[in-house]
């Protein structure tokens, strides 16, 4: 019963977020992401669904731990490294970038640190963490929600890039020409 509730909530959050990304890609002048204005409610609208979705992934993984027939040595050997590496990248870059700007506030164009190698290192790191957790916990529910979460993370840069180009002009165009979107 708990698994079903978590899966439904996860599906709703991931689907709504993915729909917001698609809307923002299709209609950049009426985008939902990045937010047109950063207000006091923006962090709530950004971080509550984000952390809830990650919490659901963790909870499903714990509840359904080892449900898929993946050998333990493979689960830990393949699953743990991307979780650790992803957390190091996400938290170190978010700290340098700032949580407000990570959550959609205007700021400066960041091209140093991991941003030298990827225009979206935090998204890449989040994807790595999701893949790692899905392998480690071997949970079908976490795999389903994780797949949808990864779809959101892949779509997000396509919603952000028109905004970045408008904000930073030729500086972003030069950066985009020299640094890959993901890897």
């Amino acid at each position: 019963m708990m698994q079903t509730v978590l899966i439904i909530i996860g599906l709703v959050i991931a689907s709504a977020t993915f729909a917001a990304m698609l809307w923002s890609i299709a209609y950049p002048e009426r985008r939902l992401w990045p937010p047109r204005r950063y207000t006091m409610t923006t962090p709530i609208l950004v971080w509550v669904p984000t952390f809830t979705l990650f919490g659901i992934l963790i909870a499903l993984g714990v509840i359904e731990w080892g449900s898929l027939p993946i050998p333990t040595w493979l689960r830990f050997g393949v699953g743990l490294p991307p979780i650790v590496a992803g957390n190091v990248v996400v938290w170190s870059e978010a700290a340098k970038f700032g949580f407000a700007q990570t959550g959609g506030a205007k700021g400066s164009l960041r091209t140093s640190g991991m941003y030298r190698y990827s225009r979206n290192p935090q998204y890449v790191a989040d994807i790595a963490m999701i893949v790692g957790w899905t392998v480690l916990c071997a949970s079908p529910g976490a795999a389903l929600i994780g797949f949808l979460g990864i779809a959101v993370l892949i779509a997000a840069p396509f919603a952000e890039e028109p905004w970045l180009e408008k904000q930073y002009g030729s500086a972003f165009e030069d950066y985009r020409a020299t640094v890959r979107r993901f890897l």
Side-chain angles (χ1 to χ4, degrees):
M1 177 66 174
M2 176 59 93
Q3 292 156 280
T4 304
V5 170
L6 290 172
I7 289 171
I8 290 169
I9 294 169
L11 288 171
V12 168
I13 292 170
S15 298
T17 307
F18 188 65
M21 294 303 162
L22 292 179
W23 174 270
S24 299
I25 293 166
Y27 305 103
E29 295 305 317
R30 298 185 305 175
R31 71 181 186 276
L32 300 170
W33 182 256
R36 286 187 298 262
R37 289 183 323 121
Y38 191 87
T39 66
M40 288 177 29
T41 60
T42 303
I44 296 165
L45 296 171
V46 170
W47 296 117
V48 168
T50 300
F51 286 119
T52 300
L53 196 61
F54 271 95
I56 288 170
L57 278 169
I58 293 167
L60 286 169
V62 170
I63 292 167
E64 299 177 341
W65 187 263
S67 296
L68 297 174
I70 301 172
T72 303
W73 66 268
L74 183 64
R75 289 172 40 204
F76 281 86
V78 173
L80 214 48
I83 293 170
V84 173
N87 270 288
V88 168
V89 170
V90 164
W91 294 111
S92 66
E93 289 303 324
K96 293 173 195 167
F97 204 73
F99 287 98
Q101 191 171 347
T102 297
K106 292 179 183 176
S108 59
L109 180 62
R110 183 149 165 73
T111 60
S112 61
M114 294 305 290
Y115 285 86
R116 289 179 299 195
Y117 310 107
S118 168
R119 295 194 313 260
N120 299 283
Q122 292 183 65
Y123 291 149
V124 172
D126 284 336
I127 290 168
M129 287 188 294
I130 292 170
V131 169
W133 178 247
T134 301
V135 171
L136 179 64
C137 69
S139 155
L144 172 64
I145 301 305
F147 174 78
L148 293 170
I150 289 169
V152 170
L153 293 166
I154 289 171
F158 295 94
E160 293 172 357
E161 287 180 354
W163 178 82
L164 289 166
E165 189 171 0
K166 189 178 280 188
Q167 291 295 310
Y168 305 113
S170 62
F172 177 72
E173 290 173 17
D174 293 344
Y175 175 61
R176 179 174 51 197
T178 59
V179 178
R180 294 179 182 185
R181 180 177 285 127
F182 294 108
L183 296 173

